[in-house]
Amino acid sequence: MADQWFESWFDSPWYPILYRHRDYAEAESFIEQLLAALSPSPASTFLDLACGRGRHSVFIHQKGYTVTGLDLSAASIADAQLSAQPGLQFGVHDMREPLDGQYDYILNLFTSFGYFADQQENLQVLNNVARSLAPGGTFVLDFFNVEVVLQGLVPFHEIDRDGVHFTLRKRFENGFIIKSIHLTDDGVAHDFEERVQGLGLADFERLFEQAGLEIEEIWGDYQGHGFASAHSPRLILFGRHRTTSIGEANA
C-alpha cells in the first residue's frame, strides 16, 4: 500500500511543532468529564486507539486504570514509550488491522477517524473495535461537528512557530476537509496535507449500525452538553454492542 498522508505527516518533526498550542488543560478536563460519565470499575481496561504521543493514555492511567495506547505513527509511539510503565503500554498499530485482546473501554479521541480514502476502511475500523470491545463495554468516538467546521472554515492562514513558517490552506472537496501545509524550515520548503472525511451524524449512525454498535448517547462538546448540529463544536458518540442491554452493561 502506498504511503498515505498521515503516515508521512504524523512522523515528521514539524507535526508536533504546528500543533504544540493544543490545549492540554482542556483535554485533561474532557478526560475527567468522560471518566465521571463512564464510572469505570477500578479493574477496567482502556484502549486509546490512535493515541498519538500518549498524553491522554498517561492521564487515564494516572487515574488508576490499565491502559494500552496504539498509533500508526512510529515517531509518536517512540515518544509515548518514554511514559510506559506497568499498566501503561504503547505499540505501533494500524487501526484497520484486527486488535489484540478485549477492552472494557475503547476510545478514539480528538478527530482520529475518517482519514482514509475509502468508506469501507472506516467500517473496518469499527468492526475491529466491535470485536475487541468486552461484553458491556463502551466505545467513545470523538469527532468534529462537520456543519460547524464548514461554517467557520478559514481558507488561508500563516503561522510562525519555533523558527518554522507555516502556510495553511483549507478547503472542502469531494467530501473531504483538506488542509494543505506548506512550511519553510532553515530555508528548505516542505509540503504536507491533511485529509479528513466530512462525516456527519447520519454517516456515523449508518457505520455504527453496520458494525453492530448502537449509539446510546451523544455529546456536543467536551463539557458533556447534548449535541446540536447547528452549533455544537464536537460530535462525541458513545456506543455499545447492539446485543448488550443497558441493564447488562450496568450489572
Side-chain angles (χ1 to χ4, degrees), residues 69-99:
L70 299 177
D71 199 279
L72 182 65
S73 168
S76 294
I77 291 299
D79 280 353
Q81 289 283 17
L82 299 175
S83 301
Q85 56 184 289
L88 176 62
Q89 61 180 343
F90 297 96
V92 176
H93 187 82
D94 186 330
M95 66 173 70
R96 291 167 291 185
E97 298 298 325
L99 302 164

Side-chain angles (χ1 to χ4, degrees), residues 9 26 39 41 55-56 60 66 70-71 80-81 86 91 130-131 136 196 204 217 222-223 225 229 238 240:
W9 173 226
E26 181 186 55
S39 297
S41 71
R55 58 183 174 135
H56 309 111
I60 294 167
T66 299
L70 299 177
D71 199 279
Q81 289 283 17
R131 282 191 290 266
V196 182
F204 282 109
E217 189 174 0
Y222 292 141
Q223 291 72 49
H225 297 118
S229 60
F238 293 72
R240 288 200 179 102

Side-chain angles (χ1 to χ4, degrees), residues 6-178:
F6 43 85
E7 296 177 284
S8 57
W9 173 226
F10 290 167
D11 272 342
S12 82
W14 302 287
Y15 174 76
I17 293 174
L18 178 61
Y19 290 111
R20 188 165 291 158
H21 67 291
R22 282 181 168 168
D23 191 335
Y24 278 55
E26 181 186 55
E28 291 190 357
S29 175
F30 170 52
I31 296 299
E32 292 271 21
Q33 292 273 357
L34 192 59
L35 292 177
L38 295 174
S39 297
S41 71
S44 294
T45 55
F46 282 77
L47 172 62
D48 186 2
L49 190 59
C51 67
R53 286 165 168 76
R55 58 183 174 135
H56 309 111
S57 299
V58 169
F59 191 67
I60 294 167
H61 180 256
Q62 288 172 350
K63 296 297 180 180
Y65 303 106
T66 299
V67 185
T68 298
L70 299 177
D71 199 279
L72 182 65
S73 168
S76 294
I77 291 299
D79 280 353
Q81 289 283 17
L82 299 175
S83 301
Q85 56 184 289
L88 176 62
Q89 61 180 343
F90 297 96
V92 176
H93 187 82
D94 186 330
M95 66 173 70
R96 291 167 291 185
E97 298 298 325
L99 302 164
D100 291 331
Q102 284 197 316
Y103 303 88
D104 299 306
Y105 299 94
I106 299 179
L107 312 179
N108 183 251
L109 304 179
F110 299 95
T111 311
S112 300
F113 192 85
Y115 291 174
F116 311 121
D118 187 347
Q119 282 273 13
Q120 189 62 29
E121 292 178 294
N122 292 335
L123 184 56
Q124 280 179 241
V125 174
L126 294 183
N127 283 335
N128 292 336
V129 165
R131 282 191 290 266
S132 287
L133 197 60
T138 300
F139 173 50
V140 181
L141 190 152
D142 165 33
F143 202 71
F144 54 61
N145 177 8
V146 65
E147 291 188 35
V148 169
V149 167
L150 292 178
Q151 290 169 14
L153 199 68
V154 178
F156 179 84
H157 188 43
E158 291 185 283
I159 298 172
D160 286 293
R161 186 165 290 144
D162 292 0
V164 182
H165 182 77
F166 294 90
T167 301
L168 311 176
R169 291 180 170 84
K170 293 183 183 179
R171 67 190 189 277
F172 184 62
E173 181 179 286
N174 297 325
F176 283 81
I177 295 172
I178 301 171

Side-chain angles (χ1 to χ4, degrees), residues 216-232:
E216 294 195 337
E217 189 174 0
I218 306 174
W219 288 3
D221 57 31
Y222 292 141
Q223 291 72 49
H225 297 118
F227 176 74
S229 60
H231 59 77
S232 292

